[in-house]
Amino acid sequence: MCGGGSGHEPAHAGFVGEGMLTSQVRRGIDLIDNEKGTVIIVKNYTGDVLNFGLAKEQYAAMHSEKANRVKFVIVGDDVAVGRTQGKIVGRRGLAGTVLVYKIAGALAHRGGSLDEVYKIAEWTSQNIATVGTSLGHVHVPGTAPLETNLGQSEIEIGMGIHNESGHQTVSPIPPLSQLILRLIDMMISTSDPDRSFVPFKGQDDVVLLVNNLGGLSELELGAIVGQTRDALDVRGLKALRVLAGSFMSSLNMPGFSITLLLLPREGDASAPSTQQILSLLDDKPDVPGWKWSSAQPPAAKASQIIQSTATAQQSKPRILKAVDPDAFVKKIRQAANALIKAEPDITRMDLIAGDGDCGLTLKAGAEAILKKIDQNAINGNDVAGSVMTISQVSEEIMGGTSGALYSIFFSGLSQGLQTTSSDVVDPRVWAQALRTALDNLYTYTRARPPSRTLVDPLDAFITAISASGGERLADAVRAADKAAEATKDLEAKAGRSAYVEGDKLKQEQVPDPGAWGVKVILENILA
């Protein structure tokens, strides 16, 4: 039997737990009354211990013949509360408590005796460590928004689940990888006499539980799990099971906690076997709050990377040289740096007109292109190959719709360049190849100008440059600029902007962020 107050869902109702009032707890004991007995498991908080303890004592008083058949387990797994600070009240109970619920509950379901279930619950509670961290405190639904005590560059370590302040505030916020290493070190330390609660020795086997305190998305939680696995490898710990999700929340707290269950070492006669602990965790409970987890150790990263066995050699683009190789690279570098500088403006536009990631996507592609220039993978002595490199960067680094559009366009541009009979790429060759690339792109998108997409300035530029045989670059760039500016007054016909209310975009006078990115590129190629 488990329980506690509300606000920590799915604990405890999602695990078929009980309420908080003494009368509710006592009624729960009556409902699960049986010949073998009852094990009550509670988190180490004063209210929980007193209400559940009182219910146990009242039950024992009313059923004296059964008094020895009700056992009580208190779980305190929070390493943020040191021995000095918690010398009277002890450590708080956090998400590690649910591992005690699960292991003891599975053994009870299998028909374990009262003593067996009680002993395994006690052993588990003594071998778990948890620490939480958060970017802010919770907001109780229906109340005025909370003014957090944390600044934008601060994070708290050692958060409880009742909105208590943390053990310490850290600023600036460290990278996630460093933050997690710090949390793990707090749990596994054997040199800190105030916090060394669990007997880690190094090279230990563990169960990892990453718990969402309520305010994180599944995507964010997945990133935290990945970083935690890396941190365990760094510290020489091997996770034989990984559980992740909302197990014990704190309403909508924007944070998470990490729990490690130290598994028994071989030859430890005083402990259950590792196999027994893992099998009890693997038993699938029929309750709404328990998250799916794999009954296998997570695969090593190296085993998840499939090495290519292909022996066929890829054919390389024809070697074509720019008229001025140094200028070719210089213009690409200028355009990339300009995109990076324009990221905040493009992001602001996309927060209104799209999903907010256009600026960051273009910046990521630009940064990758600068690296390729430094590696000489983009150079003026191999124009078609360099354009193909840009296509690959667009696909692999940018991703998404814009990445695919850019990749298709530059792939088509490389193809168009290679149809020339010349070995030098002059303005005429560029004009013909650009028209080929645009025609190729139109095979895969229905967007046509005016559409409030990146094709508006792209089409305007290529139409103008083709008409002049590649000679009037400045006029073509001006045509692209005009087309990009005109997207402020256009109703979106394609892309994510098509889902935004048309009048709102016109009122805001926000240009299409993708079109603006093309404008920035072309202006800086001309510069």
Side-chain angles (χ1 to χ4, degrees), residues 318-343:
R318 276 182 56 203
I319 302 297
L320 304 172
K321 188 175 181 178
V323 173
D324 185 340
D326 291 338
F328 173 80
V329 173
K330 179 183 177 182
K331 291 180 182 296
I332 295 175
R333 188 185 293 275
Q334 285 176 176
N337 282 321
L339 277 179
I340 294 170
K341 186 177 180 181
E343 179 271 316

Short mmCIF file of all heavy atoms in Angstrom, two decimals, residues 318-343:
data_model
loop_
_atom_site.label_atom_id
_atom_site.label_comp_id
_atom_site.label_asym_id
_atom_site.label_seq_id
_atom_site.Cartn_x
_atom_site.Cartn_y
_atom_site.Cartn_z
N ARG A 318 32.22 16.37 -61.86
CA ARG A 318 33.32 16.86 -62.71
C ARG A 318 34.05 17.99 -62.00
O ARG A 318 33.46 18.80 -61.29
CB ARG A 318 32.75 17.39 -64.02
CG ARG A 318 32.50 16.33 -65.07
CD ARG A 318 31.99 17.01 -66.33
NE ARG A 318 32.93 18.03 -66.80
CZ ARG A 318 32.57 19.06 -67.58
NH1 ARG A 318 31.30 19.22 -67.94
NH2 ARG A 318 33.47 19.93 -67.99
N ILE A 319 35.34 18.07 -62.20
CA ILE A 319 36.14 19.15 -61.63
C ILE A 319 35.96 20.39 -62.49
O ILE A 319 36.41 20.43 -63.64
CB ILE A 319 37.62 18.76 -61.54
CG1 ILE A 319 37.79 17.48 -60.70
CG2 ILE A 319 38.43 19.92 -60.96
CD1 ILE A 319 37.35 17.65 -59.26
N LEU A 320 35.28 21.38 -61.94
CA LEU A 320 35.05 22.65 -62.62
C LEU A 320 35.63 23.76 -61.76
O LEU A 320 35.45 23.75 -60.54
CB LEU A 320 33.56 22.88 -62.85
CG LEU A 320 32.80 21.80 -63.62
CD1 LEU A 320 31.30 22.09 -63.59
CD2 LEU A 320 33.30 21.71 -65.05
N LYS A 321 36.26 24.72 -62.40
CA LYS A 321 36.94 25.78 -61.67
C LYS A 321 36.17 27.08 -61.79
O LYS A 321 35.58 27.39 -62.82
CB LYS A 321 38.36 25.95 -62.22
CG LYS A 321 39.25 26.89 -61.42
CD LYS A 321 40.67 26.88 -61.99
CE LYS A 321 41.57 27.80 -61.18
NZ LYS A 321 42.98 27.77 -61.70
N ALA A 322 36.14 27.85 -60.69
CA ALA A 322 35.54 29.18 -60.71
C ALA A 322 36.45 30.14 -61.47
O ALA A 322 37.67 29.94 -61.54
CB ALA A 322 35.31 29.69 -59.30
N VAL A 323 35.85 31.20 -62.06
CA VAL A 323 36.65 32.21 -62.74
C VAL A 323 37.66 32.82 -61.78
O VAL A 323 38.83 33.03 -62.13
CB VAL A 323 35.72 33.31 -63.32
CG1 VAL A 323 36.54 34.46 -63.88
CG2 VAL A 323 34.82 32.72 -64.40
N ASP A 324 37.21 33.07 -60.54
CA ASP A 324 38.09 33.60 -59.49
C ASP A 324 37.89 32.71 -58.25
O ASP A 324 36.97 32.94 -57.47
CB ASP A 324 37.75 35.05 -59.17
CG ASP A 324 38.71 35.67 -58.17
OD1 ASP A 324 39.40 34.92 -57.45
OD2 ASP A 324 38.77 36.92 -58.09
N PRO A 325 38.72 31.69 -58.08
CA PRO A 325 38.52 30.74 -56.97
C PRO A 325 38.47 31.39 -55.59
O PRO A 325 37.65 31.02 -54.75
CB PRO A 325 39.71 29.79 -57.09
CG PRO A 325 40.07 29.84 -58.54
CD PRO A 325 39.83 31.27 -58.95
N ASP A 326 39.31 32.38 -55.35
CA ASP A 326 39.33 33.03 -54.03
C ASP A 326 38.04 33.81 -53.81
O ASP A 326 37.47 33.80 -52.70
CB ASP A 326 40.54 33.97 -53.93
CG ASP A 326 41.86 33.21 -53.87
OD1 ASP A 326 41.82 32.02 -53.50
OD2 ASP A 326 42.90 33.81 -54.18
N ALA A 327 37.56 34.49 -54.82
CA ALA A 327 36.33 35.27 -54.70
C ALA A 327 35.13 34.33 -54.47
O ALA A 327 34.20 34.67 -53.73
CB ALA A 327 36.10 36.12 -55.93
N PHE A 328 35.15 33.18 -55.12
CA PHE A 328 34.08 32.18 -54.94
C PHE A 328 33.92 31.81 -53.47
O PHE A 328 32.82 31.85 -52.91
CB PHE A 328 34.41 30.95 -55.78
CG PHE A 328 33.49 29.78 -55.58
CD1 PHE A 328 32.25 29.72 -56.20
CD2 PHE A 328 33.88 28.71 -54.77
CE1 PHE A 328 31.42 28.63 -56.01
CE2 PHE A 328 33.05 27.62 -54.57
CZ PHE A 328 31.81 27.58 -55.20
N VAL A 329 35.04 31.49 -52.82
CA VAL A 329 35.00 31.10 -51.40
C VAL A 329 34.64 32.30 -50.53
O VAL A 329 33.86 32.19 -49.57
CB VAL A 329 36.35 30.50 -50.97
CG1 VAL A 329 36.38 30.25 -49.47
CG2 VAL A 329 36.62 29.21 -51.73
N LYS A 330 35.19 33.47 -50.87
CA LYS A 330 34.93 34.67 -50.09
C LYS A 330 33.44 35.00 -50.05
O LYS A 330 32.89 35.35 -48.99
CB LYS A 330 35.71 35.85 -50.67
CG LYS A 330 35.48 37.16 -49.93
CD LYS A 330 36.23 38.30 -50.61
CE LYS A 330 35.94 39.63 -49.91
NZ LYS A 330 36.63 40.75 -50.59
N LYS A 331 32.76 34.88 -51.19
CA LYS A 331 31.33 35.21 -51.24
C LYS A 331 30.50 34.21 -50.45
O LYS A 331 29.53 34.58 -49.78
CB LYS A 331 30.88 35.26 -52.70
CG LYS A 331 31.45 36.45 -53.47
CD LYS A 331 30.99 36.46 -54.91
CE LYS A 331 31.61 37.64 -55.67
NZ LYS A 331 31.17 38.94 -55.14
N ILE A 332 30.88 32.94 -50.49
CA ILE A 332 30.15 31.94 -49.70
C ILE A 332 30.35 32.21 -48.21
O ILE A 332 29.41 32.13 -47.41
CB ILE A 332 30.62 30.52 -50.06
CG1 ILE A 332 30.26 30.19 -51.51
CG2 ILE A 332 29.98 29.48 -49.12
CD1 ILE A 332 30.78 28.85 -51.99
N ARG A 333 31.56 32.57 -47.84
CA ARG A 333 31.85 32.87 -46.43
C ARG A 333 31.04 34.10 -45.97
O ARG A 333 30.50 34.13 -44.87
CB ARG A 333 33.34 33.11 -46.23
CG ARG A 333 33.75 33.23 -44.77
CD ARG A 333 35.22 33.59 -44.64
NE ARG A 333 36.10 32.53 -45.09
CZ ARG A 333 36.48 31.52 -44.32
NH1 ARG A 333 36.03 31.41 -43.08
NH2 ARG A 333 37.32 30.60 -44.81
N GLN A 334 30.98 35.12 -46.84
CA GLN A 334 30.22 36.32 -46.51
C GLN A 334 28.75 35.99 -46.28
O GLN A 334 28.12 36.47 -45.32
CB GLN A 334 30.34 37.35 -47.65
CG GLN A 334 31.66 38.07 -47.70
CD GLN A 334 31.77 39.01 -48.89
OE1 GLN A 334 32.76 39.71 -49.03
NE2 GLN A 334 30.77 39.01 -49.75
N ALA A 335 28.19 35.17 -47.15
CA ALA A 335 26.77 34.81 -47.04
C ALA A 335 26.52 34.02 -45.76
O ALA A 335 25.51 34.23 -45.07
CB ALA A 335 26.34 34.01 -48.26
N ALA A 336 27.41 33.10 -45.43
CA ALA A 336 27.25 32.28 -44.22
C ALA A 336 27.31 33.16 -42.97
O ALA A 336 26.48 33.03 -42.06
CB ALA A 336 28.31 31.19 -44.17
N ASN A 337 28.29 34.05 -42.92
CA ASN A 337 28.41 34.94 -41.75
C ASN A 337 27.20 35.86 -41.63
O ASN A 337 26.74 36.16 -40.52
CB ASN A 337 29.69 35.77 -41.86
CG ASN A 337 30.94 34.97 -41.48
OD1 ASN A 337 30.90 34.17 -40.54
ND2 ASN A 337 32.02 35.17 -42.20
N ALA A 338 26.68 36.31 -42.76
CA ALA A 338 25.50 37.18 -42.73
C ALA A 338 24.28 36.44 -42.20
O ALA A 338 23.46 37.00 -41.47
CB ALA A 338 25.23 37.73 -44.12
N LEU A 339 24.13 35.16 -42.58
CA LEU A 339 23.01 34.36 -42.06
C LEU A 339 23.11 34.20 -40.55
O LEU A 339 22.11 34.28 -39.84
CB LEU A 339 22.99 32.98 -42.73
CG LEU A 339 22.33 32.86 -44.09
CD1 LEU A 339 22.43 31.42 -44.60
CD2 LEU A 339 20.86 33.29 -44.04
N ILE A 340 24.30 33.96 -40.07
CA ILE A 340 24.50 33.81 -38.62
C ILE A 340 24.12 35.10 -37.91
O ILE A 340 23.43 35.09 -36.88
CB ILE A 340 25.96 33.43 -38.31
CG1 ILE A 340 26.25 32.03 -38.87
CG2 ILE A 340 26.24 33.47 -36.81
CD1 ILE A 340 27.72 31.64 -38.84
N LYS A 341 24.53 36.25 -38.47
CA LYS A 341 24.22 37.54 -37.87
C LYS A 341 22.73 37.84 -37.92
O LYS A 341 22.17 38.47 -37.01
CB LYS A 341 25.01 38.63 -38.59
CG LYS A 341 24.86 40.01 -37.97
CD LYS A 341 25.72 41.03 -38.69
CE LYS A 341 25.57 42.41 -38.06
NZ LYS A 341 26.40 43.43 -38.78
N ALA A 342 22.05 37.37 -38.96
CA ALA A 342 20.62 37.65 -39.14
C ALA A 342 19.72 36.70 -38.36
O ALA A 342 18.50 36.88 -38.37
CB ALA A 342 20.27 37.59 -40.63
N GLU A 343 20.31 35.71 -37.69
CA GLU A 343 19.49 34.69 -37.01
C GLU A 343 18.43 35.28 -36.07
O GLU A 343 17.27 34.87 -36.12
CB GLU A 343 20.39 33.71 -36.27
CG GLU A 343 19.65 32.61 -35.51
CD GLU A 343 19.27 33.00 -34.09
OE1 GLU A 343 20.14 33.59 -33.41
OE2 GLU A 343 18.12 32.73 -33.67
#
